[in-house]
Amino acid sequence: MTLECKDRLFLVGPMGSGKSSIGKSLALVTERPFLDIDEEIVKYAGKSIPAIFEDDGEQEFRNIETEVLKRCLKVDAIIATGGGVIGREENRKLLKANGLVVYLMADVDSQYLRTLKDNNRPMIAVDDRRKRLEDIFKVRDPLYREACDFIVDSSHNNVHDCVEQIKAKLKEYSWKL
């Protein structure tokens, strides 16, 4: 069965799920541009994400995130989103209406290990990082599932295997690979 073709692919999932790494690799093999919304936010705001959180608060960060998401819709690309982009219904609708959405599902243990030495993540700048990741996952997992077209387990697969699984699914959507 051939499904509707959309030329934009969004990677959603929690911190440490591999959105940026898998996105860059997927962009190379599909010969499409790659955009990382977090990087685009930094360019747009002129300061780091932790600085946005500290200076302006999470609400302003989320406003900027939505604006940057809208700007990214001008490009047919592989787009790595931030982990919290799906928190807003408006963003989930934009994702679903403007491309294929892949949920890179990573369990909390994987997220914890992959973000352990990363201090550039204000959402988990707390004493009990693992508990915070668990709390965030409980809220966001159903939203990722609601927004996605398909799920790839990035907890137990390396970047190459995730890319191969995504490519296999993209063939069902008539993507030219």
Side-chain angles (χ1 to χ4, degrees):
M1 173 169 89
T2 301
L3 302 170
E4 178 185 349
C5 181
K6 297 178 182 178
D7 290 329
R8 195 174 296 105
L9 184 88
F10 297 103
L11 299 175
V12 301
M15 291 175 252
S17 63
K19 297 180 298 289
S20 296
S21 302
I22 292 166
K24 288 174 187 171
S25 183
L26 189 60
L28 282 173
V29 300
T30 61
E31 299 180 348
R32 284 180 168 73
F34 173 74
L35 292 173
D36 186 311
I37 286 186
D38 285 347
E39 290 176 9
E40 297 300 314
I41 288 170
V42 170
K43 288 180 198 171
Y44 178 87
K47 53 185 165 181
S48 71
I49 290 173
I52 297 168
F53 269 77
E54 186 174 322
D55 298 346
D56 309 311
E58 183 180 356
Q59 186 62 40
E60 181 57 20
F61 172 80
R62 297 297 170 200
N63 293 338
I64 293 168
E65 183 177 53
T66 298
E67 176 59 30
V68 169
L69 172 60
K70 290 175 181 175
R71 289 171 180 240
C72 288
L73 299 179
K74 297 175 183 169
V75 182
D76 284 340
I78 307 297
I79 301 172
T81 66
V85 75
I86 47 76
R88 284 189 173 175
E89 183 179 2
E90 174 186 8
N91 293 347
R92 292 191 303 275
K93 287 179 178 177
L94 286 169
L95 294 169
K96 289 175 76 141
N98 290 285
L100 288 173
V101 182
V102 180
Y103 173 18
L104 296 176
M105 204 289 293
D107 60 41
V108 174
D109 289 334
S110 297
Q111 293 173 50
Y112 179 73
L113 291 172
R114 294 173 185 172
T115 62
L116 198 54
K117 294 182 176 150
D118 187 346
N119 294 318
N120 200 32
R121 299 177 185 267
M123 293 297 295
I124 56 172
V126 296
D127 290 335
D128 190 346
R129 184 177 276 206
R130 192 186 186 298
K131 172 80 168 89
R132 179 73 173 128
L133 285 166
E134 193 174 287
D135 292 344
I136 292 170
F137 187 73
K138 284 178 187 172
V139 171
R140 293 181 180 172
D141 180 60
L143 301 175
Y144 294 132
R145 291 175 186 277
E146 171 194 325
C148 78
D149 291 293
F150 59 92
I151 299 171
V152 171
D153 180 355
S154 67
S155 294
H156 304 100
N157 292 294
N158 63 30
V159 170
H160 177 267
D161 291 343
C162 288
V163 167
E164 289 303 311
Q165 288 178 34
I166 293 168
K167 282 173 44 186
K169 289 297 286 185
L170 290 177
K171 288 179 183 176
E172 297 174 26
Y173 288 86
S174 302
W175 266 52
K176 292 182 181 83
L177 297 173

